[in-house]
Amino acid sequence: MFEYQHIDSEGNSIDLPVGKIVCVGRNYLQHINELDNAVPSAPLLFIKPTTALCELGQSVVIPKNLGPCHNELEIAVLIKKPLSKVTSQEVAAAIWGIGLGLDLTLRDVQTALKKQGHPWERAKAFDLSCPMSQFVDVNKVENFTDLDFSLHVNNELRQLGNSQDMLFSIVELLANISNTFTLLPGDIVMTGTPKGVAPLAVGDALNIELKAHFSIETDVV
Ligand code: ZN
């Protein structure tokens, strides 16, 4: 049964519906290079359905027998007010808060789809493909352009990111996205992953941290 709800830093549910997840691909140069992709001239967008969401603090479930499932740890932005065709200046008032999400990716499936020119949903939008942290109230976030976050797998650093390394900033992304998809209260925007994508394995212990805000221990099953 689908039970996800957005939660705040105290673990209380946030009074917003659960909406779509708009994801950004190729937003960190070093990650673009590690997969040998081209640098986009506009944000690369795709969508995950609500059924992709689950709570990150519970075990991360990876699909079996479909090839490697990669970690992509990303800053997630929870939307509280409708955003449609807005400018960067109008974005800030629509943000509820900031969290971290995993954009789980079946890499071999994605590579095969890319070769055929097909959409990526089978590789990225499957059930439970978007484990999501709690959200930190935007009033407690000092600077969107200097957020440090990290993923450790079995106590080894795998991904280390800072939002200042984004090709398109959080505010630029939301304004740009709102010109294609209206963002509604309860929607989430995933802002791209830094370098360090690699396969997760059953039994891996994960530590996921948004510096100065929270640290989550979970595992892979
Ligand atoms: Zn991603």
Side-chain angles (χ1 to χ4, degrees):
M1 207 178 87
F2 181 70
E3 291 182 332
Y4 174 85
Q5 279 192 304
H6 307 301
I7 53 173
D8 66 17
S9 299
E10 279 73 51
N12 299 315
S13 65
I14 296 170
D15 188 20
L16 286 171
V18 177
K20 63 184 172 294
I21 310 148
V22 181
C23 299
V24 177
R26 303 178 190 168
N27 200 29
Y28 290 81
L29 193 57
Q30 289 180 329
H31 170 62
I32 292 171
N33 292 337
E34 76 180 339
L35 293 185
D36 216 8
N37 284 319
V39 177
S41 55
L44 186 164
L45 305 179
F46 58 96
I47 284 185
K48 292 187 192 239
T50 54
T51 43
L53 287 165
C54 55
E55 198 179 315
L56 181 58
Q58 301 183 355
S59 295
V60 172
V61 181
I62 57 172
K64 312 298 184 292
N65 305 317
L66 290 170
C69 182
H70 278 194
N71 54 269
E72 293 196 2
L73 184 66
E74 314 195 358
I75 293 174
V77 182
L78 178 62
I79 304 297
K80 68 177 176 189
K81 291 200 177 125
L83 277 178
S84 180
K85 300 185 169 48
V86 296
T87 63
S88 297
Q89 288 72 34
E90 299 168 89
V91 162
I95 297 176
W96 192 97
I98 300 287
L100 293 175
L102 277 172
D103 168 21
L104 294 178
T105 302
L106 292 165
R107 193 66 69 195
D108 288 357
V109 175
Q110 186 195 27
T111 301
L113 292 167
K114 279 160 89 176
K115 271 190 196 139
Q116 299 173 85
H118 288 177
W120 298 351
E121 274 79 354
R122 288 183 187 278
K124 280 182 170 283
F126 52 88
D127 285 356
L128 311 179
S129 62
C130 199
M132 189 60 58
S133 76
Q134 63 268 50
F135 287 92
V136 179
D137 189 301
V138 70
N139 298 311
K140 295 177 187 152
V141 180
E142 282 190 3
N143 187 353
F144 291 163
T145 57
D146 187 18
L147 293 167
D148 280 298
F149 60 105
S150 63
L151 166 67
H152 284 78
V153 180
N154 302 324
N155 296 318
E156 279 184 29
L157 181 65
R158 182 168 292 185
Q159 291 194 278
L160 179 64
N162 185 296
S163 54
Q164 70 188 354
D165 296 323
M166 291 179 177
L167 297 179
F168 301 96
S169 72
I170 289 174
V171 166
E172 287 170 339
L173 285 173
L174 267 55
N176 182 286
I177 289 166
S178 83
N179 280 276
T180 299
F181 307 110
T182 296
L183 292 168
L184 294 174
D187 286 353
I188 291 171
V189 173
M190 293 275 279
T191 58
T193 196
K195 73 168 179 182
V197 303
L200 294 170
V202 171
D204 280 347
L206 308 183
N207 172 270
I208 289 167
E209 185 178 2
L210 182 62
K211 197 172 165 190
H213 293 292
F214 61 74
S215 174
I216 296 171
E217 308 283 342
T218 187
D219 65 347
V220 178
V221 297

